[in-house]
């Protein structure tokens, strides 16, 4: 079943960050959430993952209402949030970080299998398994953050600015891996990105946020054709949300 947001409103500090947004992430799809800094993109992910409680509206997934659920409960539903800035545990090893992603699981054999799948996606993580995460490059830490999220065996993956601060070559690689996760694992993905062209290149659907409202929506191809229109919204900022 899809992840659905209906008329969701939310506040972030002194800002009214979301003003009644509605959209869905169909099962097995990649959906891009685009817009400038301060449009409400990251707030949307925080609301879905339970970090911020909405002031109005509903969030549904698999027949369950989520808007009053704790972050831990939402992870149990199968929704995993990889926040902006990687946020790995720098003093833990790569392997320990990956195991932290599976901390709510009890299926030891399944965890071992998923660890090998993560290593298959990111061979560099296997090479540096015993290294402290803080010693990795920015791109390697982004791979680790995604790998850690996959260890929770998500049904929906929330990705916040995965290309931020990476070289063009690494950005291309990260988006290739995003597509692979979707096609091979059948994982639904909601990706927040300022790199609209790259995000729409892997997405099936897209939404553009401006000051807490969805102003453009459609298939990824439709939004690519509306590039001039989409670009007109990309530089308008409300507040730091």
């Amino acid at each position: 079943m899809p992840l659905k947001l209906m008329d969701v409103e939310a506040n972030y500090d002194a800002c009214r960050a979301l003003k009644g947004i509605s959209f869905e992430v169909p099962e097995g799809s990649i959906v891009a959430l685009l817009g400038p800094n301060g449009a409400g993109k990251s707030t949307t992910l925080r609301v879905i993952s339970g970090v911020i409680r909405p002031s109005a509206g509903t969030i549904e997934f698999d027949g369950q209402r989520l808007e009053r659920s704790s972050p831990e409960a939402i992870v149990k539903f199968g929704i995993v949030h990889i926040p902006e800035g990687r946020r790995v545990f720098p003093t833990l090893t790569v392997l320990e970080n990956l195991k932290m992603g599976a901390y709510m699981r009890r299926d030891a054999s399944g965890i071992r299998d998923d660890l090998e799948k993560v290593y298959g996606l990111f061979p560099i993580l296997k090479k540096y398994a015993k290294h402290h995460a803080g010693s990795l490059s920015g791109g390697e830490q982004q791979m680790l953050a995604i790998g850690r999220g996959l260890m929770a065996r998500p049904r929906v993956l929330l990705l916040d600015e995965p290309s931020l601060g990476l070289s063009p070559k690494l950005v291309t690689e990260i988006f290739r891996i995003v597509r692979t996760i979707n096609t091979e694992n059948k994982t639904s993905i909601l990706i927040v990105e300022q790199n609209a062209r790259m995000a729409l290149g892997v997405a099936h659907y897209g939404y553009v946020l401006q000051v807490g409202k969805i102003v453009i929506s459609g298939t990824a191809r439709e939004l690519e054709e509306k590039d001039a229109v989409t670009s007109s919204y990309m530089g308008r900022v409300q507040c730091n949300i």
Side-chain angles (χ1 to χ4, degrees):
M1 294 184 66
L3 171 67
K4 287 186 177 182
L5 282 72
M6 291 167 282
D7 301 316
V8 170
E9 300 182 9
N11 301 318
Y12 189 77
D13 293 332
C15 286
R16 187 180 172 208
L18 301 179
K19 304 173 182 177
I21 66 169
S22 300
F23 69 90
E24 68 176 51
V25 180
E27 188 172 2
S29 70
I30 301 176
V31 174
L33 193 58
L34 310 173
N37 284 332
K41 305 186 304 297
S42 293
T43 299
T44 301
L45 298 193
R46 294 183 187 120
V47 167
I48 295 170
S49 62
V51 176
I52 295 174
R53 183 159 289 186
S55 56
T58 60
I59 303 170
E60 293 184 1
F61 178 64
D62 203 17
Q64 302 288 327
R65 293 276 294 272
L66 302 184
E67 65 270 10
R68 296 291 178 238
S69 298
S70 68
E72 294 79 9
I74 289 170
V75 171
K76 288 182 179 179
F77 280 121
I79 299 174
V80 174
H81 183 186
I82 299 175
E84 178 184 346
R86 294 124 200 179
R87 301 189 191 180
V88 299
F89 300 103
T91 60
L92 299 183
T93 67
V94 167
L95 178 57
E96 288 167 340
N97 268 269
L98 291 173
K99 287 182 176 179
M100 286 294 291
Y103 79 100
M104 297 181 73
R105 295 173 58 181
R106 297 295 179 265
D107 56 323
S109 62
I111 291 171
R112 287 193 297 270
D113 290 344
D114 287 346
L115 182 62
E116 289 306 314
K117 289 178 183 178
V118 168
Y119 286 155
L121 281 172
F122 306 107
I124 196 71
L125 299 183
K126 187 170 188 176
K127 179 180 178 180
Y128 293 145
K130 295 182 179 180
H131 291 230
H132 286 132
S135 70
L136 302 182
S137 69
E140 290 161 352
Q141 288 188 18
Q142 184 63 71
M143 293 176 186
L144 178 56
I146 295 172
R148 185 180 61 194
L150 293 176
M151 289 300 296
R153 196 172 279 183
R155 296 171 61 193
V156 179
L157 196 61
L158 310 177
L159 279 174
D160 196 350
E161 300 284 5
S163 73
L164 187 66
L166 302 186
S167 68
K169 182 178 179 180
L170 278 174
V171 169
T172 299
E173 177 66 7
I174 289 294
F175 277 95
R176 182 191 68 79
I177 290 167
V178 167
R179 190 195 297 272
T180 298
I181 291 168
N182 171 250
T183 56
E184 293 188 0
N185 298 357
K186 308 303 181 185
T187 305
S188 304
I189 298 173
L190 176 59
I191 184 168
V192 158
E193 257 296 335
Q194 288 196 69
N195 189 332
R197 190 171 300 278
M198 290 297 296
L200 292 175
V202 299
H204 302 102
Y205 307 94
Y207 298 86
V208 179
L209 274 178
Q210 181 197 11
V211 292
K213 296 180 179 179
I214 292 172
V215 292
I216 305 176
S217 64
T219 68
R221 303 295 80 79
E222 288 170 344
L223 291 191
E224 284 180 322
E225 292 170 1
K226 295 178 182 177
D227 185 58
V229 178
T230 304
S231 296
S232 71
Y233 291 100
M234 300 303 281
R236 303 181 186 182
V237 178
Q238 177 186 16
C239 54
N240 187 24
I241 50 178

